[in-house]
Amino acid sequence: MAEILHVPVVETVLVPEDVELYAAALDILPFGLMLYDERGTCVFANKRALILIGLTGRPAEAGMIQAVDRTRAAGPRTEHLRGQGGALYEVAGEPLAIGGLRLHAVRIADLTLEDDVMRSQATAAGDLVHTLRGPLTALRGYLELSVEEPDPRGDYVQRALDAALRVQQIVDDILSLATLVSSGMEEREIRCEDVGAIAHQAVTAFEPSGRLFRLRIEDAIPPVAMTSAEVRMVLLNFIGNAVKYSEAPAPIDVDIAREGSMVVFAVRDYGPGIEPQKQSLIFRRYHRLGVRGVQGTGLGLAAVRELTLQRGGAVYVESEVGSGSTFFVRIPVKA
Ligand code: ADP
């Protein structure tokens, strides 16, 4: 007799904005996650789960739908399953309460994934929540204050607005990181022919800062192994930081030069500089050196680093406390 299968149909019970928020957060998880309501209807499945159960166009792992089907039914239950590529999956179901809803969660973990991959993804998710929690707490606190007591000068509202802008900045930065990761997977020509023109545009974008830029572009810069959007992203990050972390009237130097098989972008500022032991830390996600009063997310340099490594290049900083910093990206020439 043919087996009767519950092929999950993801039915939305949360309002669409909530679903997007949950999806964005739960898609980062290094395992598949499916949530079922009390009627046994699947109300949410993250990306990894959709891939594993064959709802993204790729075939499902053999036996996966059946395993999920058995695990979603009742009580805590765990099954193991061998995937086509040799992966060993653990399919585990357990009750879960979220936002007042009684749900049943099915988690599909690939046990053959390297521990450090799992751990670094889990840490990244934790860091993200931690980074967002600060400004969100401030936002809520100042809004509550402005409801509870008179705020004639609008101070509370202003602070709440600052906190909201910070959350938005973090979210925007994360989105651009995410686009980078997925754009790296697309098959397309990765080549930028007009590095010089992009450097001009990047400097022009910062003209409203009133800073003096000294832009030097060597003649005949060859095409490089990055897309134009990526070159722009790198330069905007470096130049943006130079503007943020140094002060007028000191100039900012932007140099584009060829060194053998590489093209080097260098952005020099005459700001406070960075202590030697902290120079490698600033390329890690969310890492900021307490610079008072300067807004940022600690994601810009991490994005530059991830991209540059992906493109076969290198990124580094030379800096001296009290004299300033030069940020470099070296990227291969693409003939
Ligand atoms: P953000 O500027 O958003 O904090 P970044 O990843 O661009 O994030 O930079 C990480 C940290 O590196 C900054 O918070 C700052 O402490 C330090 N930093 C970056 N650029 C400079 C610079 N030009 N001079 C001094 N410190 C810098």
Side-chain angles (χ1 to χ4, degrees):
M1 200 177 76
E3 207 175 343
I4 299 171
L5 279 185
H6 172 89
V7 177
V9 175
V10 181
E11 192 182 89
T12 300
V13 290
L14 302 160
V15 293
E17 295 83 56
D18 282 352
V19 171
E20 261 176 49
L21 267 179
Y22 277 88
L26 298 175
D27 280 346
I28 332 176
L29 295 175
F31 49 80
L33 179 72
M34 306 186 61
L35 301 178
Y36 290 86
D37 68 10
E38 283 171 320
R39 290 174 298 145
T41 307
C42 182
V43 291
F44 179 82
N46 72 353
K47 273 210 186 101
R48 187 90 198 103
L50 291 175
I51 292 172
L52 293 168
I53 60 171
L55 288 183
T56 56
R58 269 191 258 167
E61 284 284 13
M64 185 61 82
I65 295 175
Q66 290 88 335
V68 169
D69 201 37
R70 284 188 296 269
T71 326
R72 86 186 160 83
R77 182 190 167 104
T78 303
E79 290 198 13
H80 289 95
L81 179 85
R82 219 5 112 191
Q84 282 103 324
L88 178 66
Y89 294 104
E90 182 182 82
V91 184
E94 57 195 295
L96 179 82
I98 300 187
L101 289 175
R102 282 153 56 89
L103 300 171
H104 188 81
V106 175
R107 191 169 48 86
I108 313 168
D110 178 352
L111 300 181
T112 45
L113 260 190
E114 300 280 330
D115 259 7
D116 51 350
V117 173
M118 294 280 271
R119 216 173 298 129
S120 76
Q121 286 198 25
T123 316
D127 284 351
L128 168 60
V129 171
H130 188 74
T131 311
L132 286 169
R133 196 187 256 162
L136 277 177
T137 308
L139 175 60
R140 178 179 172 174
Y142 286 119
L143 284 178
E144 277 174 359
L145 275 176
S146 72
V147 171
E148 283 164 13
E149 48 183 83
D151 180 18
R153 287 187 301 153
D155 285 352
Y156 297 152
V157 173
Q158 182 57 49
R159 285 181 194 199
L161 183 63
D162 289 347
L165 287 173
R166 184 149 162 66
V167 175
Q168 186 176 20
Q169 177 72 55
I170 295 171
V171 171
D172 287 350
D173 281 358
I174 291 168
L175 276 181
S176 63
L177 264 175
T179 328
L180 254 182
V181 174
S182 56
S183 73
M185 293 172 190
E186 281 168 26
E187 299 239 347
R188 63 195 159 88
E189 220 208 345
I190 295 169
R191 188 166 191 265
C192 173
E193 298 199 359
D194 45 4
V195 173
I198 290 169
H200 266 290
Q201 288 166 9
V203 165
T204 312
F206 284 99
E207 263 171 12
S209 69
R211 299 295 297 270
L212 169 65
F213 294 100
R214 298 188 297 201
L215 176 62
R216 277 178 301 236
I217 303 169
E218 252 180 25
D219 288 339
I221 291 292
V224 298
M226 262 188 188
T227 66
S228 300
E230 291 166 351
V231 169
R232 189 170 301 115
M233 187 284 252
V234 169
L235 289 171
L236 289 177
N237 252 295
F238 281 1
I239 301 172
N241 279 346
V243 169
K244 273 199 295 191
Y245 299 108
S246 71
E247 279 172 31
I252 292 164
D253 298 329
V254 180
D255 286 274
I256 313 280
R258 179 177 187 156
E259 278 180 21
S261 61
M262 306 293 261
V263 170
V264 184
F265 310 160
V267 176
R268 168 152 182 63
D269 68 60
Y270 299 84
I274 302 157
E275 291 170 49
Q277 67 273 26
K278 303 208 169 135
Q279 291 176 8
S280 62
L281 298 180
I282 57 176
F283 293 98
R284 294 196 195 158
R285 288 188 189 190
Y286 308 115
H287 214 100
R288 307 196 66 220
L289 314 174
V291 189
R292 260 202 230 135
V294 182
Q295 291 281 320
T297 59
L299 282 170
L301 291 178
V304 170
R305 178 171 174 277
E306 281 168 38
L307 167 70
T308 309
L309 295 181
Q310 200 175 315
R311 298 285 178 249
V315 60
Y316 52 98
V317 60
E318 285 174 2
S319 183
E320 204 180 309
V321 174
S323 316
S325 315
T326 310
F327 283 84
F328 297 89
V329 152
R330 294 165 65 83
I331 200 79
V333 166
K334 181 123 180 212

